[in-house]
Amino acid sequence: MRGSPRVRLVKWSLHYGVLLLFVVAALFPLYWLVKISLTPNDSLYTHSIDLWPATISLEHYATVIGNSDFLLFFRNSVIVSGVTAIASTLLAAASGYAFSRFVFRGRYWIVGVMLVTQMFPLVIVITPIFSIFGPLGLTNSLMGLIIIYTAFNIPFATFLMQSFFDGIPKELEEAAMIDGATRFKALLQIIAPLTLPGIAATMGFCFTGAWGEILFALLLNSAASTSTFPVGLLLYSTRATIEFGPMMAAGVLALLPVCIFFFLIQRYLVQGLTAGAVKG
Amino acid sequence: MASIDIKNVRKDFGPVSVLKGVDLAIASGEFAVLVGPSGCGKSTLLRLIAGLEDASSGEIHIGGRRVDDLPPRDRDIAMVFQSYALYPHMNVRDNMGYSLRLKRTPQARIAEIVGRAGAKLGLEALGERKPRELSGGQRQRVAMGRAIVRNPKAFLFDEPLSNLDARMREQMRFEIRKLHRDLGATSVYVTHDQIEAMTMADRIVAMNAGIIQQVGTPLELYDDPANVFVAGFIGSPAMNFLSGEARRGETGVALSVGGKAFCTLSQAVAVPEDGRVTIGIRPERIRIGVGAGQVVEAAADLVETTGAASVVHVDLAGQAMKIFTTERLQLTQGQRIPLAIDAKDVCLFDPAGGGRLR
Ligand SMILES: Nc1ncnc2c1ncn2[C@@H]1O[C@H](COP(=O)(O)OP(=O)(O)O)[C@@H](O)[C@H]1O
Ligand SMILES: [Mg+2]
């Protein structure tokens, strides 16, 4: 830092001012969500806009948990997102490893096709998918959602995993193979532990993607028994009213698994595990 | 311990031919050093021996067994990489014991073998450390340790010292040689550093552009290079090359540089038709002053000294030449100095193909 104390103070204030602005803008909707979920019904529809309700109550949470199918939707969402995250990460790890380490025929074309799938909006494939899935019994089924989400996650997840594998020197598995390991064993015992940050990031990406997805969830599954919670949230908005209180409470509850998930994987998201592998 | 035989091995990466027919026999227990400039195919040859790449054609035998189709794990060789390639998530002991664990060696036995290797390399205190907590020299030792616990048929080294500083490099050079003396295992050592090659090798394999140029003991390559490449690559400061003329006379072959007499070779040499030759002479074989041999006059240009010795740059009929001497000289630029050249120190090369003229 250079300049007089006053210049420094101005720079400091600007720096943190901008950061603060960003944080407030990013967190304000969350704050509003929590606030409304805690506001009792009788003070929800008043004319004044308060930053915090005079009294708080958990009545909306009680409604959501006790008086609705929310727990069912929630369970469905956990199953769909969890299986999607695990399946897409495993498959993406396999294909990412292949792209990172092997030269094979058609590699270029496969990469091209995977890129193309990322380029058009999902809306245009919904109808064909619906008509394919119907006869197969994959509509109104959690399995159908898992297949769709996994399929759509894999291209990007593959590129993500490939970049993590690219960051791991191939001498490591060569050393392991000379030490007596098969390539698969080297992958499991040497490469996989070093890719944990990548695996965690990819899983997080796939999980959140599936968790918040609504288009397919709404159009493929109409029965409540197979609905995920984003679809469930819509039930609070009926033709006559929108039940903001319970909707917001459900929204807060829906945030919890994502928070827990990221809390669990954040340890692995920290990079730098490979430092010291290579170079003196 | 085993011999390594490489027969007419070629390696192409797509259209690029990296090894162009390599024949090489390394005796059991020998320390062979593959030396050559960067990109000449040394690592590729080593990786072919290790099984990390497949040869495009040719045969590789280790200990009399053909190994071309075997995966690395079945070739029973150990390799030390330039980057060390230590497993970052394992501590020193597990790094060294990994190969034994894969062979399902009992824990107690692993501990014993790793302990012995660690003691040999001075790693006793570091067993629990992770690679990132080690200095470059320590990582180098762990990589060596990982190789020796295997007790393999052969050791392969790919520029293992190039990430160390000069002093450490000198010490590890010495330690690797001592280790080889103790273990007596067949070793193939790749380096681009001719000093490493000279000081460490039983036999040097000089490579350039995917072709083996010469194989021999360090002194054979030094004293009797097969071509301009080997002559120029081995030795520091490098051999002087002067373009000159050779004419057959009554007393032998008379050499001249820029029209001035250089020296006369008594032995018969096959001289090209037009008489144009490349004259090679090592800097330390030229003496400043009038001596027994023939005398040529040159102009001093610059003196570089290291304390122990000096390199005198001179100009001989417009061509630059270096002289290596342990005498301390005070020379001014342009000063005329007499140089004594002994005819037996002179090598002649064909300026067109670079081959030695004998
Ligand atoms: N996997 C590969 N694909 C394509 N070219 C390669 C590959 N490996 C090495 N090469 C090429 O082969 C040549 C020799 O490489 P290398 O054996 O590593 O040289 P050195 O170890 O002597 O420096 C280089 O020109 C390099 O670019
Ligand atoms: Mg190399």
Side-chain angles (χ1 to χ4, degrees):
Chain A
M1 281 278 203
R2 45 183 64 227
S4 67
R6 179 187 304 209
V7 172
R8 246 186 292 168
L9 182 70
V10 169
K11 279 186 177 173
W12 185 90
S13 326
L14 268 177
H15 184 76
Y16 283 96
V18 170
L19 280 181
L20 189 70
L21 207 67
F22 176 77
V23 170
V24 167
L27 290 183
F28 188 79
L30 278 184
Y31 155 74
W32 209 247
L33 182 79
V34 174
K35 184 211 124 181
I36 293 181
S37 77
L38 291 171
T39 308
N41 244 341
D42 44 17
S43 47
L44 196 53
Y45 300 102
T46 53
H47 285 291
S48 66
I49 293 173
D50 304 320
L51 280 181
W52 197 247
T55 59
I56 62 170
S57 97
L58 293 174
E59 66 186 63
H60 301 312
Y61 289 90
T63 316
V64 166
I65 292 171
N67 275 335
S68 76
D69 283 338
F70 184 81
L71 286 183
L72 176 67
F73 301 151
F74 201 78
R75 190 205 65 157
N76 290 343
S77 267
V78 169
I79 292 174
V80 168
S81 307
V83 176
T84 297
I86 291 169
S88 1
T89 305
L90 279 182
L91 291 169
S95 51
Y97 183 77
F99 281 122
S100 169
R101 294 298 199 257
F102 302 132
V103 181
F104 49 88
R105 204 170 302 222
R107 181 178 198 271
Y108 180 83
W109 287 104
I110 297 175
V111 172
V113 168
M114 288 193 354
L115 274 176
V116 167
T117 63
Q118 300 291 291
M119 282 174 194
F120 49 84
L122 296 184
V123 194
I124 62 178
V125 294
I126 282 192
T127 318
I129 283 179
F130 188 82
S131 55
I132 294 170
F133 273 26
L136 293 173
L138 289 172
T139 51
N140 274 326
S141 121
L142 295 183
M143 194 59 193
L145 283 186
I146 290 172
I147 290 174
I148 286 284
Y149 292 167
T150 304
F152 278 98
N153 268 328
I154 278 179
F156 185 76
T158 296
F159 294 131
L160 208 58
M161 283 309 297
Q162 181 193 343
S163 71
F164 283 104
F165 284 122
D166 284 346
I168 296 178
K170 75 180 194 320
E171 281 97 343
L172 286 183
E173 71 234 67
E174 290 178 346
M177 290 195 290
I178 286 178
D179 263 353
T182 58
R183 182 177 280 278
F184 188 66
K185 213 170 214 174
L187 177 59
L188 277 191
Q189 297 182 340
I190 306 296
I191 304 304
L194 301 173
T195 325
L196 282 181
I199 292 175
T202 308
M203 267 192 154
F205 170 80
C206 295
F207 187 91
T208 43
W211 188 257
E213 206 283 337
I214 185 159
L215 200 57
F216 283 106
L218 187 64
L219 293 176
L220 290 184
N221 293 1
S222 47
S225 64
T226 56
S227 284
T228 55
F229 98 86
V231 179
L233 278 188
L234 289 181
L235 299 180
Y236 293 109
S237 126
T238 60
R239 197 164 301 184
T241 62
I242 297 179
E243 294 181 65
F244 279 112
M247 193 188 223
M248 297 301 154
V252 171
L253 290 175
L255 280 176
L256 291 180
V258 182
C259 293
I260 293 171
F261 189 81
F262 273 94
F263 181 76
L264 290 179
I265 65 172
Q266 60 126 5
R267 190 157 75 86
Y268 301 105
L269 282 174
V270 179
Q271 286 282 357
L273 201 58
T274 54
V278 159
K279 229 185 102 58
Chain B
M1 250 209 273
S3 60
I4 299 173
D5 292 292
I6 295 162
K7 293 179 187 156
N8 194 22
V9 161
R10 309 180 63 87
K11 176 68 185 173
D12 307 319
F13 287 110
V16 186
S17 183
V18 172
L19 296 178
K20 300 162 187 161
V22 169
D23 282 291
L24 181 62
I26 296 163
S28 183
E30 187 173 34
F31 197 99
V33 176
L34 272 176
V35 68
S38 228
C40 75
K42 309 177 299 285
S43 298
T44 304
L45 183 54
L46 203 68
R47 292 167 59 82
L48 285 171
I49 299 174
L52 298 172
E53 306 274 1
D54 293 323
S56 303
S57 69
E59 296 178 15
I60 299 170
H61 300 255
I62 298 176
R65 183 160 75 127
R66 186 156 180 195
V67 296
D68 305 29
D69 292 330
L70 295 181
R73 64 176 182 280
D74 294 328
R75 296 194 181 194
D76 197 14
I77 39 97
M79 184 155 167
V80 177
F81 291 82
Q82 176 174 8
S83 59
Y84 314 138
L86 301 178
Y87 311 129
H89 56 305
M90 296 185 187
N91 65 24
V92 166
R93 221 163 345 93
D94 293 341
N95 259 284
M96 287 176 34
Y98 183 63
S99 61
L100 300 174
R101 232 173 61 215
L102 288 171
K103 275 194 253 175
R104 303 190 189 287
T105 313
Q107 280 300 329
R109 181 97 184 99
I110 295 181
E112 185 196 327
I113 297 174
V114 169
R116 200 151 6 99
K120 192 171 263 171
L121 292 161
L123 294 169
E124 299 98 325
L126 305 176
E128 297 299 327
R129 298 247 196 119
K130 293 277 177 63
R132 65 172 165 278
E133 299 159 345
L134 301 175
S135 70
Q138 288 166 337
R139 286 177 201 174
Q140 164 66 52
R141 276 164 216 266
V142 176
M144 300 277 304
R146 192 167 65 178
I148 63 179
V149 298
R150 300 268 314 278
N151 193 21
K153 287 207 186 105
F155 287 100
L156 309 178
F157 298 89
D158 192 356
E159 311 220 10
L161 305 185
S162 57
N163 282 339
L164 301 178
D165 62 50
R167 205 165 284 273
M168 199 66 210
R169 198 148 57 209
E170 221 166 279
Q171 175 173 355
M172 286 310 297
R173 211 155 76 192
F174 173 69
E175 288 189 21
I176 292 176
R177 263 322 299 221
K178 270 212 309 202
L179 215 56
H180 177 256
R181 196 178 61 195
D182 293 350
L183 303 172
T186 313
S187 306
V188 186
Y189 185 104
V190 163
T191 179
H192 65 266
D193 179 354
Q194 56 91 20
I195 296 190
E196 264 175 42
M198 288 298 285
T199 50
M200 299 178 78
D202 291 331
R203 249 176 357 135
I204 294 182
V205 180
M207 270 182 80
N208 191 29
I211 295 171
I212 292 186
Q213 305 289 325
Q214 190 174 2
V215 181
T217 65
L219 291 183
E220 277 167 15
L221 265 69
Y222 191 82
D223 293 334
D224 196 11
N227 53 39
V228 168
F229 169 78
V230 176
F233 194 78
I234 302 287
S236 171
M239 185 183 267
N240 294 300
F241 294 113
L242 303 164
S243 50
E245 261 133 53
R247 203 151 11 82
R248 216 177 299 267
E250 292 133 41
T251 49
V253 178
L255 301 177
S256 59
V257 174
K260 290 208 283 183
F262 187 73
C263 79
T264 306
L265 307 178
S266 50
Q267 73 270 30
V269 171
V271 176
E273 294 269 299
D274 62 354
R276 305 187 60 78
V277 291
T278 299
I279 301 169
I281 183 160
R282 296 221 173 262
E284 76 279 11
R285 295 293 164 82
I286 304 172
R287 280 196 311 103
I288 297 176
V290 182
Q294 273 152 302
V295 172
V296 272
E297 210 181 45
D301 188 14
L302 196 79
V303 181
E304 294 171 321
T305 183
T306 60
S310 305
V311 174
V312 183
H313 295 255
V314 300
D315 178 300
L316 180 76
Q319 300 189 46
M321 206 164 67
K322 284 183 230 168
I323 301 163
F324 183 86
T325 174
T326 51
E327 282 171 54
R328 298 202 169 173
L329 298 168
Q330 296 294 331
L331 296 173
T332 53
Q333 192 188 358
Q335 185 178 337
R336 314 290 303 174
I337 47 174
L339 305 176
I341 309 276
D342 193 336
K344 71 173 176 7
D345 293 327
V346 171
C347 301
L348 286 193
F349 302 96
D350 178 1
R356 179 85 178 269
L357 298 173
R358 293 178 194 272

